[in-house]
């Protein structure tokens, strides 16, 4: 068995609202070649296994995993797809290496959201076909209801949620990969049109295209391949109920349970003190606050105070989404967790440029799979 | 350092039927409960869930793994959906193996479900969108056409007749007569296969497995627990998987190289040197009759082009030296895509434990193999099991 696993190479494309010059295969190819070059590996000789990430309806194919191997250089190799978030694929690769049968494993995720011309209709297909699909023409209604409930329970305000958008879009201005950076005000967010009350258009992360590929390695291999290996210290993932009728609307229980697992594995007792940088799911503005509480960076209902006090900005006590998050980089669907993991890796290596956080040694990447799911995944990384 | 050994200690499957009354969630629940009951565990004992199910287009539900997760026992647990098309049923167990062999978990519930009947009027429609959108979809291909090309290539390369191949359908449908879960157990003749209607030459209706609703589940545990739970653990000693290019039109269709690579990976891990001698019972993937033969060759159970001789001589009959598809296979039991691979692992589990009832192969087999296949004639997934 292998005891330790590290990320030894990362590659990504820009994250942009549309990429008419690149097919989805070319997006992955670009990210893969960069990751392989960084790790100094030849996919045809050195890689033991490949894990890709795909959802049929997002890709526009049935059995979308068919189209994963070629652009990764993975033809006639052990390749498997995870229908989930990139972080779940990363965890699969992590488990493969821990078994001791594999030393170098590649993980990939890609979003070509600009190809989805009927995104709203497509997302509705994720709802229970009998009970829920007939209810709405706009999948954001689930998030609107949830936000309402969260604000009611915690006394957190719409202004505090808007501050998250302001912070993340500002962070994104310092991230050359991000496509949705902007300098906006709380009023801009509150005054943009209501999509599903209390959610406004700017409370919702815009769709983006992009791809991320990472090379993972066992301890022995990692030390040979990289001067700056980023170690996986703990992982956790969980799904709560899919049913809208029986779920807890106030709390993201799956993130709480996944965090408990990851903290236990990484031996983290006090996340706020021990973790230096956080990238968590902010597909909707309120989700950043809700997830901060579920990840135990503050008590229930206290996340509003954190954003008020500037604790989560770059330079604050615990910077959250320095990359710009989903709100500033974009909603990358299955690739969302990949962009977050990538940012944590860059921060821990000290390669985050203008948005670099000082003395970042331990980071947390988190993803949530979006409406209507209750699935979350977490990885805790260290340098 | 040595590897953590992983055992299968429980298995269960629903009846395979053309149109189940149950929803996909309920099918997953039934199989999961049967598997847990069979080893006297409950959901409380389960650390994590691996959920296998093939195209979302069957159910018409986007992110189908999310939709099925609670039915499969994943509620508030780590649950993940691995996906390699038709190879998913066997890969799902390999994914379960990662969970336990990695040391992260001791008990993994592996559930595979497929509900094809909700795809109306016929699930073949879901396969129209598996082809490349630029180079292939404009030709409006369907799945049977491309398998007809592969079958023809296999026959031409080795001088195999349709008669030789039809024997597989006859054998498997007959084996299924002893399987209480089977959808189309039948006693038919080679002539019946040859005289059934042509769907895409050389594929006739009786060369093909049916479309099916069903689910199957397994319980995987770590070594120290296995011995507490049962006297008869079945060890998952070898796992292998491999995927070829999506550009299927550019490769030699006469031989499944990706199956060979997957098999060699599993044999290497299980320490199998001479598969044709050491494997005592096998469930190669048989969605079409020629595929059983094609896969036996890829699995190194015989040389290239030799599989037809084995079936003609009765070697692969239930009482032969190397029984294949004693369950009745997909041709007899049915083919609920992801669940059919899991069904094959269930069958080998029962065969190795001597619990296969009327289907039991003689000679107390100790080593068995299950295999699945899928995508665009592109992926092979293999497990080697031992008692």
């Amino acid at each position: 068995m292998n005891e330790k696993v590290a990320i030894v190479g990362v590659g990504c494309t820009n994250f942009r609202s549309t990429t008419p010059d690149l097919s989805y295969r070319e997006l992955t190819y670009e990210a893969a070649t960069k990751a392989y070059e960084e790790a100094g590996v030849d996919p045809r000789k050195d890689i033991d296994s490949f894990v890709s990430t795909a959802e049929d309806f997002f890709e526009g194919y049935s059995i979308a995993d068919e189209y994963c191997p070629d652009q990764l250089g993975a033809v006639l190799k052990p390749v498997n797809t995870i229908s989930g978030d990139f972080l779940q694929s990363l965890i699969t690769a992590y488990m493969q290496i821990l078994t001791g049968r594999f030393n170098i494993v590649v993980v990939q995720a890609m979003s070509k959201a600009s190809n989805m011309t009927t995104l709203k209709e497509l997302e509705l297909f994720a709802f229970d076909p009998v009970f829920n699909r007939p209810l709405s023409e706009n999948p954001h209604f689930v998030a609107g209801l949830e936000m309402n409930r969260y604000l009611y329970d915690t006394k957190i305000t719409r202004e505090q949620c808007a501050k998250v958008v302001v912070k993340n879009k500002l962070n994104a201005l310092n991230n050359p990969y991000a496509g949705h950076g902007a300098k906006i005000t709380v009023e801009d967010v509150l005054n943009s049109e209501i999509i599903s009350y209390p959610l406004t258009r700017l409370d919702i992360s815009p769709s983006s295209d992009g791809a991320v590929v990472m090379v993972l390695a066992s301890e022995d291999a990692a030390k040979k391949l990289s001067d700056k290996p980023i170690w996986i210290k703990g992982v956790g993932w969980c799904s709560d109920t899919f049913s809208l009728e029986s779920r807890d609307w106030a709390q993201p229980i799956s993130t709480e349970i996944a965090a408990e697992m990851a903290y236990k594995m990484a031996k983290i007792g006090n996340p706020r003190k021990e973790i230096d940088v956080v990238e968590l799911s902010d597909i909707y503005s309120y989700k950043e606050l809700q997830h901060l509480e579920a990840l135990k960076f503050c008590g229930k209902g206290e996340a509003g105070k954190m954003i008020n006090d500037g604790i989560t900005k770059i330079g604050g006590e615990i910077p959250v989404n320095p990359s710009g998050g989903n709100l500033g980089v974009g909603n990358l669907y299955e690739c969302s967790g990949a962009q977050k993991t990538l940012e944590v890796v860059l921060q821990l290596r000290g390669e985050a440029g203008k948005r670099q956080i000082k003395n970042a040694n331990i980071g947390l990447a988190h993803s949530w799979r979006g409406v209507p799911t209750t699935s979350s995944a977490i990885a805790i990384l260290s340098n | 350092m040595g590897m953590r050994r992983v055992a299968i200690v429980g298995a269960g499957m629903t009846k395979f039927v053309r149109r189940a009354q149950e929803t996909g969630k309920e099918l997953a629940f039934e199989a999961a409960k049967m598997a847990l009951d069979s080893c006297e565990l409950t959901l409380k004992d389960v650390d994590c869930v691996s959920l296998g199910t093939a195209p979302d287009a069957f159910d018409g539900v986007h992110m189908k793994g999310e939709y099925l997760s609670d039915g499969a026992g994943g509620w508030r647990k780590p649950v993940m959906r691995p996906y390699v098309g038709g190879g998913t049923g066997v890969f799902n167990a390999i994914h379960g193996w990662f969970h336990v062999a990695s040391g992260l978990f001791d008990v993994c519930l592996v559930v595979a479900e497929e509900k094809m009947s909700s795809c109306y009027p016929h699930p073949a429609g879901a396969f129209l969108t598996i082809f490349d959108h630029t180079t292939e979809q404009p030709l409006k291909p369907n799945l049977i056409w491309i398998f007809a090309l592969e079958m023809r290539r296999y026959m031409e390369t080795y001088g195999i007749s349709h008669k030789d191949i039809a024997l597989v359908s006859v054998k498997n449908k007959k084996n299924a007569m002893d399987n209480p879960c089977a959808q189309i157990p039948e006693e038919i003749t080679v002539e019946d296969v040859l005289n059934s209607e042509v769907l895409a030459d050389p594929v006739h209706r009786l060369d093909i497995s049916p479309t099916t609703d069903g689910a199957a589940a397994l319980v995987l545990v770590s070594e120290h627990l296995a011995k507490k739970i049962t006297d008869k653990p079945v060890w998952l000693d070898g796992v292998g998987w491999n995927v070829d290019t999506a550009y299927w039109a550019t490769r030699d269709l006469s031989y499944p190289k990706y199956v060979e690579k997957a098999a060699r990976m599993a044999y290497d891990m299980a320490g199998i040197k001479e598969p044709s001698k050491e494997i005592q019972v096998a469930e190669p993937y048989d969605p079409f009759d020629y595929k059983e033969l094609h896969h036996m060759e890829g699995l190194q159970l015989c040389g290239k082009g030799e599989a037809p001789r084995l079936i003609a001589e009765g070697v692969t009959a239930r009482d032969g030296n190397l029984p294949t598809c004693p369950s009745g296979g997909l041709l007899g039991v049915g083919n609920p895509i992801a669940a059919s691979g899991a069904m094959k692992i269930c069958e080998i589990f029962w065969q190795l434990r001597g619990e296969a009832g009327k289907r039991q192969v003689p000679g107390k087999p100790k080593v068995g193999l299950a295999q699945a296949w899928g995508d665009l004639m592109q992926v092979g997934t293999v497990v080697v099991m031992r008692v």
Side-chain angles (χ1 to χ4, degrees):
Chain A
M1 288 179 72
N2 288 316
E3 300 282 332
K4 288 174 77 179
V5 178
I7 297 168
V8 296
V10 296
C12 71
T13 64
N14 283 326
F15 304 110
R16 294 291 183 258
S17 53
T18 180
T19 45
D21 52 330
L22 293 168
S23 75
Y24 71 93
R25 289 177 213 180
E26 289 166 319
L27 284 170
T28 287
Y29 179 82
E30 184 181 325
T33 47
K34 287 181 189 168
Y36 298 156
E37 195 179 331
E38 201 183 273
V41 291
D42 176 345
R44 293 184 176 80
K45 282 191 239 153
D46 305 325
I47 312 285
D48 299 321
S49 163
F50 297 80
V51 183
S52 64
T53 317
E55 276 287 357
D56 279 5
F57 284 20
F58 283 146
E59 320 303 336
Y61 280 114
S62 277
I63 323 187
D65 61 286
E66 294 166 348
Y67 297 98
C68 294
D70 295 83
Q71 56 273 25
L72 281 171
V75 166
L76 283 174
K77 297 279 183 183
V79 187
N80 78 270
T81 295
I82 296 294
S83 286
D85 181 80
F86 169 90
L87 272 168
Q88 293 175 329
S89 302
L90 179 100
I91 291 165
T92 297
Y94 173 65
M95 291 194 293
Q96 289 182 1
I97 294 174
L98 287 182
T99 66
R101 286 293 293 178
F102 309 89
N103 283 313
I104 306 181
V105 179
V106 162
V107 195
Q108 172 267 0
M110 180 276 306
S111 164
K112 185 75 172 170
S114 62
N115 273 359
M116 296 187 249
T117 51
T118 54
L119 189 58
K120 194 178 69 176
E121 289 80 0
L122 190 151
E123 286 186 324
L124 261 191
F125 274 98
F127 286 71
D128 184 290
V130 178
F131 296 114
N132 303 141
R133 207 180 289 165
L135 289 178
S136 169
E137 290 191 345
N138 183 347
H140 294 307
F141 86 95
V142 173
L145 287 173
E146 194 180 67
M147 182 174 177
N148 237 338
R149 177 63 198 241
Y150 176 63
L151 298 189
Y152 175 82
D153 273 12
T154 56
K155 311 290 180 257
I156 283 173
T157 63
R158 283 183 63 202
E159 286 74 14
Q160 287 166 330
C161 295
K163 282 182 184 174
V164 172
V165 185
V166 174
K167 167 181 74 77
N168 290 1
K169 281 189 176 289
L170 193 64
N171 286 350
L173 283 177
N174 284 324
N175 182 353
Y177 298 122
H180 295 278
K183 201 167 179 181
I184 57 168
T185 64
V186 167
E187 286 66 41
D188 292 335
V189 179
L190 297 178
N191 294 335
S192 65
E193 68 264 38
I194 301 277
I195 303 294
S196 173
Y197 185 83
L199 277 176
T200 70
R201 184 171 52 79
L202 288 173
D203 280 311
I204 302 172
S205 59
S207 301
S208 268
D209 294 357
V212 175
V213 172
M214 294 192 189
V215 182
L216 271 58
S218 63
E219 186 170 12
D220 289 346
K223 285 181 175 163
K224 282 178 204 144
L225 293 173
S226 176
D227 300 334
K228 291 187 202 170
I230 300 300
W231 302 98
I232 299 174
K233 306 295 277 187
V235 296
W237 70 107
C238 179
S239 296
D240 196 4
T241 182
F242 177 83
S243 155
L244 295 184
E245 292 78 7
S246 61
R247 66 175 55 176
D248 185 322
W249 283 81
Q251 298 298 332
I253 304 274
S254 68
T255 294
E256 286 178 21
I257 298 174
E260 205 173 304
M261 176 178 168
Y263 289 150
K264 195 174 160 200
M265 204 183 296
K267 300 193 175 65
I268 286 188
N270 185 340
R272 180 137 168 196
K273 281 217 173 100
E274 294 172 57
I275 292 174
D276 305 313
V277 53
V278 182
E279 280 276 328
L280 51 72
S281 178
D282 57 330
I283 291 175
Y284 301 97
S285 59
Y286 73 95
K287 277 284 172 190
E288 174 163 320
L289 303 177
Q290 206 187 35
H291 287 143
L292 272 172
E293 295 170 12
L295 292 167
K296 306 274 186 294
F297 288 102
C298 60
K300 295 262 162 79
E302 289 171 18
K305 192 171 174 332
M306 284 182 86
I307 184 87
N308 275 352
D309 296 350
I311 290 170
T312 55
K313 68 179 186 192
I314 295 176
E317 180 197 332
I318 173 92
V320 176
N321 288 328
S323 72
N326 295 110
L327 291 161
V329 178
N331 184 352
L332 294 158
Y333 299 88
E334 310 100 285
C335 190
S336 283
Q339 182 270 322
K340 295 189 179 292
T341 310
L342 171 77
E343 177 69 10
V344 174
V345 169
L346 296 178
Q347 290 284 355
L348 298 182
R349 284 179 178 175
E351 295 173 0
K354 281 194 204 163
R355 59 190 196 286
Q356 182 63 48
I357 289 151
K358 284 181 197 140
N359 303 320
N361 294 310
I362 297 185
L364 181 148
H366 162 268
S367 71
W368 162 62
R369 297 206 63 208
V371 165
T373 80
T374 53
S375 290
S376 306
I378 293 168
I380 295 171
L381 309 176
S382 81
N383 54 17
Chain B
M1 257 177 291
M3 303 239 297
R4 246 166 83 99
R5 216 175 176 200
V6 178
I8 304 175
V9 294
M13 67 181 283
T14 67
K15 275 188 103 155
F16 282 8
V17 295
R18 174 64 181 89
R19 198 175 297 280
Q21 295 286 321
E22 294 83 354
T23 64
K25 281 189 197 224
E26 288 165 334
L27 289 170
F29 169 83
E30 277 186 24
K33 181 159 192 328
M34 277 191 264
L36 287 171
D37 286 350
S38 77
C39 54
E40 296 180 358
L41 294 182
T42 70
L43 257 190
K44 276 189 192 149
D45 304 306
V46 172
D47 298 328
C48 55
V49 175
S50 185
L51 169 62
T53 183
D56 291 16
F58 283 154
D59 307 64
V61 177
H62 173 40
M63 303 203 278
K64 184 162 62 149
E66 304 290 335
Y67 168 66
L68 293 169
S69 62
D70 50 2
W75 181 67
R76 294 190 177 177
K77 291 188 192 296
V79 50
M80 227 192 278
R81 176 190 175 194
Y83 193 18
V84 284
T88 300
V90 168
F91 185 80
N92 194 28
I94 297 175
H95 195 245
W97 178 83
F98 301 153
H99 285 68
V100 180
S102 65
L104 292 191
F105 303 100
D106 283 323
V107 182
C108 181
L109 178 61
V110 172
V111 184
E113 176 275 353
E114 212 69 70
K115 183 156 175 102
M116 299 170 75
S117 63
S118 37
C119 192
Y120 195 78
H122 194 280
F127 292 109
L128 297 176
T129 51
I130 70 171
F131 295 95
D132 185 287
H133 46 58
T134 308
T135 58
E136 291 164 6
Q137 282 187 24
L139 300 171
K140 300 195 190 315
N142 74 38
L143 210 52
I144 297 173
W145 296 3
I146 66 167
F147 297 142
L149 290 174
E150 191 181 63
M151 179 168 167
R152 172 65 70 197
R153 182 74 199 147
Y154 177 57
M155 291 164 72
E156 291 294 325
T157 304
Y158 303 112
I160 297 164
S161 72
H162 195 183
K163 261 190 194 165
D164 302 331
I165 289 173
L167 284 169
V168 174
S169 194
V170 174
K171 166 178 75 77
N172 291 2
K173 284 180 191 292
K174 181 148 190 277
N175 282 350
M177 292 181 77
D178 296 322
N179 192 330
C181 295
Q183 180 183 352
I184 44 167
E186 259 181 307
E187 195 142 10
I188 56 167
T189 63
V190 166
E191 284 65 41
D192 291 332
V193 179
L194 300 183
N195 293 334
S196 63
E197 69 197 282
V198 178
L199 297 184
D201 184 66
V203 176
H204 292 232
R205 179 170 291 284
L206 289 176
D207 289 312
I208 310 186
S209 59
T211 56
T212 307
D213 292 355
L218 302 158
V219 182
L220 269 53
V221 305
S222 57
E223 184 166 12
H224 70 277
L225 267 188
K227 289 174 180 165
K228 284 185 202 155
I229 292 169
T230 176
D231 299 335
K232 292 190 285 185
V234 175
W235 302 101
L236 204 46
D237 273 354
V239 303
W241 69 103
N242 198 278
V243 183
D244 205 342
T245 171
Y247 299 96
W248 58 274
T250 61
R251 66 170 167 265
D252 180 1
L253 296 178
S254 69
Y255 182 73
K257 186 133 198 226
Y258 45 92
V259 171
E260 177 186 336
K261 289 202 166 228
R264 288 191 186 279
M265 181 175 168
Y267 294 148
D268 179 50
M269 181 174 150
I272 302 266
K273 301 275 188 296
E274 288 185 87
S276 60
K277 290 190 185 141
E278 293 175 61
I279 301 290
Q280 294 161 314
V281 54
E283 282 275 341
Y285 206 61
D286 62 326
F288 290 66
D289 45 12
Y290 79 95
K291 288 306 301 186
E292 173 167 323
L293 306 175
H294 208 227
H295 287 149
M296 283 173 63
E297 295 170 16
L299 290 166
Q300 314 301 303
L301 297 176
C302 60
K304 290 182 185 177
E306 284 177 13
R309 184 176 56 80
L310 294 191
I311 183 155
E313 290 173 359
V315 174
T316 58
R318 196 178 280 154
D319 56 359
N321 276 337
L322 176 55
T324 55
C325 293
S327 66
L330 278 43
L331 289 159
V333 187
N335 186 8
I337 310 292
S340 27
M343 175 277 281
K344 286 183 171 291
I345 300 179
C346 289
E347 178 70 12
I348 297 296
F349 174 79
W350 290 317
Q351 290 286 352
L352 296 182
R353 280 166 58 118
E355 293 172 353
K358 282 201 223 163
R359 304 187 307 286
Q360 185 64 49
V361 305
K364 297 199 170 67
K366 297 270 182 284
V367 186
L369 171 151
Q371 177 242 338
W373 163 85
D375 287 0
L376 287 164
M377 308 182 288
Q378 183 185 359
V379 53
T381 52
V382 179
V383 291
V384 175
M385 297 156 64
R386 272 207 189 92
V387 283

